Amino acid sequence: MAVQATPLNSALVVVYQAGLTALGAPIKKQKSLNYLRFDASDQALHDAAHTLFGLSQNPVIEVLNRKTFELIEE
């Protein structure tokens, strides 16, 4: 049986460094921006994340594009 993937949601997830532990390891936190246009380009999302966090004093570690699909059996 075939399975069809239907796009549901897209989210921009930015992982950033919020400080250092006592041992010097980075403390990682993340912020999400949900309900993005599913067809937004990866470059546009990357640029938006770095532009927004350019206003922050916390450095960006990772930028993720999390997409959710519904899998429907035909």
Side-chain angles (χ1 to χ4, degrees):
M1 297 188 142
V3 175
Q4 180 181 359
T6 304
L8 291 179
N9 188 13
S10 180
L12 175 65
V13 180
V14 181
V15 180
Y16 61 95
Q17 181 176 332
L20 297 173
T21 66
L23 298 176
I27 299 170
K28 295 181 182 180
K29 293 190 176 185
Q30 68 181 31
K31 291 286 184 187
S32 298
L33 181 60
N34 297 317
Y35 304 107
L36 301 177
R37 289 179 35 185
F38 207 81
D39 61 345
S41 73
D42 293 334
Q43 184 66 51
L45 295 176
H46 184 269
D47 292 345
H50 282 280
T51 300
L52 287 171
F53 273 80
L55 301 172
S56 171
Q57 56 187 348
N58 299 319
V60 173
I61 297 173
E62 290 180 293
V63 178
L64 307 170
N65 183 5
R66 185 178 298 153
K67 293 187 176 186
T68 305
F69 295 88
E70 179 180 15
L71 301 177
I72 302 170
E73 190 173 327
E74 294 180 340

